[in-house]
Amino acid sequence: MMKKTLSALALSLAMSVSAQSAMAEPVKNIVLVHGAFADGSGWGPVASALDKAGYKVSIVQEPQTSLADDVAATRRILAQQKGRSLLVGHSYGGMIISDAGNDPSVAGLVYIAAFQPDAGESLLSLASKIPSANKSIVETPDHYLYLKPERFQADYAADLPKKETDMMARSQVMPAAAAFGTPAGKPAWQTKPSWAIVATQDRTINPELERYMAKRAHSDTVEIKGSHAIFASQPDKVAAVIERAAQSLTQ
C-alpha cells in the first residue's frame, strides 16, 4: 500500500514539474487574425519583422461568413502549432480572438485597434457605445458589408499611400452582417493576460472606445499615432508590442 502511495506521489510530482516546465517554455508561436475589410496579406510587414526576431508566425485567413466560422478557422491554425501561442487580432479580429483565445494552447492576447467584447456584447453593440467617425460602411442586398471604395483611404487607412489603399479597397473582404451582430461568449481576456494598441487617429473604431475596452480588460496598453490600418502603416511599432508581449509570457 505504501509503495503504491509513493508511486502515486512521485507521478504527481513528475506531472507538476512537467506542467511547470511547459509553462516556462518561451512563447515562439504568433498567430495573427485580420479584421473586416482586409485580408491576411496585410500582416506581411508585421510578419516579416517577427520572422526576423525568431518567431514562428501563422496568419489566419478566416472566411468572415459568421463569427463561429471565423473562430473555428482560428482554432484550426492554433491546432497546428507546437507549444503555446500568442494570439493577435486587428479590428473585428478582436471578436474572434476573444473566443478562440479560450483554447488551452493560447498564452495571451494582443488587440490591435480591435474590439474587446465582454460576454453578451456584439461588435455592433460595442460600436454604438462610442460611435466612430466612419459612416462609409454599406450593406449589400444579400447582407454582407463593404466600405465604400472612394472613402477607403480616408476612413480606414489615411496614413497609407493612395496606390496601396486603392488596392486594399479593391480586394477588401466583405464580412457577413450577421457576424457583427453576434453576441460574444465568455472572453479569454478575463483569464489570460492581454495587451492592446490604441490607434489615436482611428476613424473606424473610436479611439475612446478602444481605451474603454482596454481599460476594462486590464490590458497593457500602448497608444500609437495612426489610422485604423495601423498594422500596415506602423508595422515595426506593432511588431515591437507583439514581441514584448511574447517575451513577458516567458518570464
Side-chain angles (χ1 to χ4, degrees):
M1 183 68 177
M2 180 64 73
K3 288 184 177 180
K4 288 184 178 180
T5 302
L6 290 173
S7 295
L9 180 59
L11 178 60
S12 177
L13 286 171
M15 291 176 65
S16 177
V17 170
S18 177
Q20 290 177 9
S21 176
M23 289 301 291
E25 289 180 2
V27 173
K28 284 296 184 180
N29 301 315
I30 310 291
V31 177
L32 306 174
V33 183
H34 67 82
F37 316 121
D39 66 15
S41 66
W43 285 116
V46 170
S48 293
L50 293 171
D51 285 339
K52 291 177 182 177
Y55 292 92
K56 178 182 179 293
V57 183
S58 301
I59 300 173
V60 180
Q61 194 77 300
E62 74 271 14
Q64 300 201 3
T65 45
S66 72
L67 181 57
D69 288 346
D70 297 337
V71 170
T74 302
R75 287 181 177 271
R76 200 171 298 126
I77 298 300
L78 287 170
Q80 296 177 355
Q81 312 307 308
K82 293 182 179 179
R84 299 187 299 158
S85 297
L86 179 64
L87 194 52
V88 182
H90 171 253
S91 190
Y92 164 65
M95 300 293 297
I96 300 169
I97 70 170
S98 292
D99 188 329
N102 288 305
D103 189 285
S105 68
V106 174
L109 308 101
V110 182
Y111 294 86
I112 300 173
F115 289 96
Q116 292 180 255
D118 203 346
E121 293 178 333
S122 68
L123 184 154
L124 290 178
S125 69
L126 277 170
S128 67
K129 285 181 181 290
I130 309 176
S132 72
N134 187 342
K135 308 300 179 187
S136 306
I137 298 173
V138 181
E139 186 170 348
T140 66
D142 60 343
H143 309 298
Y144 280 76
L145 304 172
Y146 68 96
L147 207 159
K148 293 179 180 177
E150 66 272 18
R151 292 293 304 171
F152 197 97
Q153 184 183 43
D155 285 341
Y156 190 92
D159 49 359
L160 286 173
K162 191 171 186 304
K163 182 178 180 180
E164 187 172 344
T165 59
D166 282 351
M167 180 56 69
M168 293 172 73
R170 292 179 190 181
S171 60
Q172 62 179 292
V173 177
M174 295 186 183
F180 282 17
T182 302
K186 182 180 179 181
W189 57 255
Q190 288 186 354
T191 57
K192 298 183 180 183
S194 63
W195 290 258
I197 292 177
V198 173
T200 62
Q201 296 179 324
D202 200 328
R203 288 179 55 83
T204 296
I205 302 177
N206 193 310
E208 286 301 322
L209 179 60
E210 293 174 20
R211 294 183 183 105
Y212 162 77
M213 293 184 291
K215 182 178 180 180
R216 179 179 65 175
H218 303 290
S219 301
D220 185 330
T221 306
V222 174
E223 298 205 0
I224 300 176
K225 183 179 180 180
S227 70
H228 188 61
I230 199 158
F231 63 95
S233 64
Q234 302 282 348
D236 290 339
K237 291 181 180 179
V238 169
V241 172
I242 295 171
E243 185 173 3
R244 182 164 60 84
Q247 291 173 343
S248 72
L249 290 168
T250 67
Q251 297 173 352

Coordinates of all heavy atoms in Angstrom, one line a residue, residues 6-43:
L6 N 3.6 6.0 -2.6 CA 4.8 6.7 -3.0 C 4.8 6.8 -4.5 O 5.3 7.8 -5.1 CB 6.0 5.9 -2.5 CG 6.2 6.0 -1.0 CD1 7.4 5.0 -0.6 CD2 6.5 7.4 -0.5
S7 N 4.4 5.8 -5.2 CA 4.4 5.8 -6.7 C 3.5 6.9 -7.2 O 3.8 7.6 -8.1 CB 4.0 4.4 -7.2 OG 4.9 3.5 -6.9
A8 N 2.3 6.9 -6.6 CA 1.3 8.0 -7.0 C 1.8 9.4 -6.7 O 1.7 10.3 -7.5 CB 0.0 7.7 -6.2
L9 N 2.5 9.5 -5.6 CA 3.1 10.8 -5.2 C 4.2 11.2 -6.2 O 4.3 12.4 -6.6 CB 3.7 10.8 -3.8 CG 4.3 12.1 -3.3 CD1 3.3 13.2 -3.3 CD2 4.8 11.9 -1.9
A10 N 5.0 10.2 -6.5 CA 6.1 10.5 -7.5 C 5.6 10.9 -8.9 O 6.1 11.8 -9.5 CB 7.0 9.3 -7.6
L11 N 4.5 10.2 -9.3 CA 3.9 10.5 -10.6 C 3.3 11.9 -10.5 O 3.4 12.7 -11.5 CB 2.8 9.5 -10.9 CG 2.0 9.7 -12.2 CD1 3.0 9.7 -13.4 CD2 0.9 8.6 -12.3
S12 N 2.6 12.3 -9.4 CA 2.0 13.6 -9.3 C 3.1 14.7 -9.3 O 2.9 15.7 -10.0 CB 1.2 13.7 -8.0 OG 0.7 14.9 -7.8
L13 N 4.2 14.4 -8.6 CA 5.3 15.4 -8.7 C 5.9 15.6 -10.0 O 6.2 16.7 -10.5 CB 6.4 15.0 -7.7 CG 6.0 15.2 -6.2 CD1 7.1 14.5 -5.3 CD2 5.9 16.7 -5.8
A14 N 6.0 14.5 -10.7 CA 6.6 14.5 -12.1 C 5.7 15.3 -13.0 O 6.2 16.1 -13.9 CB 6.8 13.1 -12.6
M15 N 4.4 15.0 -12.9 CA 3.4 15.8 -13.7 C 3.4 17.3 -13.4 O 3.4 18.1 -14.3 CB 2.0 15.2 -13.5 CG 1.8 13.8 -14.1 SD 0.2 13.1 -13.7 CE -0.8 14.2 -14.7
S16 N 3.6 17.6 -12.1 CA 3.6 19.0 -11.7 C 4.9 19.7 -12.3 O 4.8 20.8 -12.8 CB 3.6 19.1 -10.2 OG 3.7 20.5 -9.8
V17 N 6.0 19.0 -12.2 CA 7.3 19.6 -12.8 C 7.1 19.7 -14.3 O 7.6 20.7 -14.8 CB 8.4 18.7 -12.4 CG1 9.7 19.1 -13.2 CG2 8.7 18.7 -10.9
S18 N 6.5 18.7 -14.9 CA 6.4 18.8 -16.4 C 5.5 20.0 -16.8 O 5.8 20.7 -17.7 CB 5.8 17.5 -16.9 OG 5.5 17.5 -18.3
A19 N 4.4 20.2 -16.0 CA 3.5 21.3 -16.3 C 4.2 22.6 -16.1 O 4.0 23.6 -16.9 CB 2.2 21.2 -15.4
Q20 N 5.0 22.7 -15.0 CA 5.7 24.0 -14.8 C 6.7 24.3 -15.8 O 6.9 25.4 -16.3 CB 6.3 23.9 -13.4 CG 5.3 24.0 -12.2 CD 6.0 23.8 -10.9 OE1 7.2 23.9 -10.8 NE2 5.2 23.7 -9.8
S21 N 7.4 23.2 -16.3 CA 8.4 23.3 -17.3 C 7.7 23.8 -18.6 O 8.3 24.6 -19.3 CB 9.1 22.0 -17.6 OG 10.0 22.1 -18.6
A22 N 6.5 23.3 -18.9 CA 5.8 23.7 -20.2 C 5.5 25.1 -20.1 O 5.6 25.9 -21.1 CB 4.6 22.8 -20.4
M23 N 5.0 25.6 -18.9 CA 4.7 27.0 -18.7 C 5.9 27.9 -18.9 O 5.7 29.1 -19.3 CB 4.0 27.2 -17.4 CG 2.6 26.6 -17.3 SD 1.4 27.3 -18.5 CE 1.3 28.9 -17.9
A24 N 7.1 27.4 -18.5 CA 8.3 28.2 -18.6 C 8.9 28.3 -20.0 O 9.7 29.1 -20.2 CB 9.3 27.7 -17.6
E25 N 8.4 27.5 -20.9 CA 8.9 27.5 -22.3 C 8.6 28.8 -22.9 O 7.5 29.3 -22.8 CB 8.3 26.3 -23.1 CG 8.8 24.9 -22.6 CD 8.2 23.8 -23.5 OE1 7.4 24.2 -24.4 OE2 8.5 22.7 -23.2
P26 N 9.5 29.3 -23.7 CA 9.3 30.6 -24.4 C 8.1 30.5 -25.4 O 7.9 29.4 -26.0 CB 10.6 30.8 -25.2 CG 11.6 30.0 -24.4 CD 10.9 28.8 -23.9
V27 N 7.4 31.6 -25.5 CA 6.3 31.6 -26.5 C 6.9 32.0 -27.8 O 7.3 33.2 -27.9 CB 5.2 32.5 -26.0 CG1 4.1 32.7 -27.1 CG2 4.5 32.0 -24.7
K28 N 6.9 31.1 -28.7 CA 7.5 31.4 -30.0 C 6.5 31.4 -31.2 O 6.9 31.7 -32.3 CB 8.7 30.4 -30.3 CG 9.9 30.7 -29.5 CD 10.5 32.0 -29.9 CE 11.8 32.3 -29.2 NZ 12.4 33.6 -29.6
N29 N 5.3 31.0 -30.9 CA 4.2 30.9 -31.9 C 3.4 32.2 -31.9 O 2.8 32.5 -30.8 CB 3.3 29.7 -31.8 CG 4.1 28.4 -31.8 OD1 4.9 28.2 -32.7 ND2 3.8 27.5 -30.9
I30 N 3.3 32.9 -33.0 CA 2.5 34.1 -33.1 C 1.4 33.8 -34.1 O 1.7 33.5 -35.3 CB 3.3 35.4 -33.5 CG1 4.5 35.6 -32.6 CG2 2.4 36.6 -33.4 CD1 4.2 35.9 -31.2
V31 N 0.1 33.9 -33.8 CA -1.0 33.7 -34.7 C -1.7 35.0 -34.9 O -2.2 35.6 -33.9 CB -1.9 32.6 -34.2 CG1 -3.1 32.4 -35.1 CG2 -1.2 31.3 -34.0
L32 N -1.7 35.5 -36.1 CA -2.3 36.8 -36.5 C -3.7 36.6 -37.1 O -3.8 35.8 -38.1 CB -1.4 37.5 -37.5 CG 0.1 37.7 -37.0 CD1 0.9 38.3 -38.1 CD2 0.2 38.6 -35.8
V33 N -4.6 37.4 -36.7 CA -6.0 37.3 -37.2 C -6.4 38.7 -37.7 O -6.4 39.7 -37.0 CB -7.0 36.9 -36.1 CG1 -8.4 36.7 -36.7 CG2 -6.5 35.6 -35.5
H34 N -6.7 38.8 -39.0 CA -7.1 40.1 -39.6 C -8.5 40.4 -39.3 O -9.3 39.6 -38.9 CB -6.8 40.0 -41.1 CG -7.7 39.1 -41.9 ND1 -9.0 39.5 -42.3 CD2 -7.6 37.9 -42.4 CE1 -9.6 38.5 -43.0 NE2 -8.7 37.5 -43.0
G35 N -8.8 41.7 -39.6 CA -10.2 42.2 -39.3 C -11.0 42.3 -40.6 O -10.6 41.7 -41.6
A36 N -12.1 42.9 -40.5 CA -13.0 43.1 -41.6 C -12.4 44.1 -42.6 O -11.6 44.9 -42.3 CB -14.4 43.6 -41.2
F37 N -12.8 43.9 -43.9 CA -12.4 44.8 -45.0 C -10.9 44.7 -45.3 O -10.4 45.5 -46.0 CB -12.8 46.3 -44.7 CG -14.2 46.4 -44.1 CD1 -14.4 47.0 -42.9 CD2 -15.3 46.0 -44.8 CE1 -15.6 47.2 -42.4 CE2 -16.6 46.1 -44.3 CZ -16.7 46.7 -43.0
A38 N -10.3 43.6 -44.8 CA -8.9 43.4 -45.1 C -8.7 41.9 -45.3 O -9.6 41.1 -45.1 CB -8.0 43.9 -44.0
D39 N -7.5 41.4 -45.6 CA -7.2 40.0 -45.6 C -5.9 39.8 -45.0 O -5.2 40.7 -44.6 CB -7.3 39.4 -47.0 CG -6.3 39.9 -48.0 OD1 -5.3 40.5 -47.5 OD2 -6.4 39.7 -49.2
G40 N -5.5 38.5 -44.9 CA -4.3 38.2 -44.2 C -3.0 38.8 -44.8 O -2.0 38.9 -44.1
S41 N -3.0 39.1 -46.1 CA -1.8 39.7 -46.7 C -1.3 41.0 -46.1 O -0.2 41.4 -46.1 CB -2.0 39.8 -48.2 OG -3.0 40.8 -48.4
G42 N -2.3 41.7 -45.4 CA -2.0 43.0 -44.8 C -1.0 42.8 -43.6 O -0.4 43.8 -43.2
W43 N -0.9 41.6 -43.1 CA 0.0 41.4 -42.0 C 1.5 41.2 -42.5 O 2.4 41.0 -41.6 CB -0.4 40.1 -41.3 CG -1.6 40.2 -40.4 CD1 -2.7 39.5 -40.5 CD2 -1.7 40.9 -39.2 NE1 -3.6 39.8 -39.5 CE2 -3.0 40.7 -38.6 CE3 -0.9 41.8 -38.5 CZ2 -3.5 41.2 -37.5 CZ3 -1.3 42.4 -37.3 CH2 -2.6 42.1 -36.8

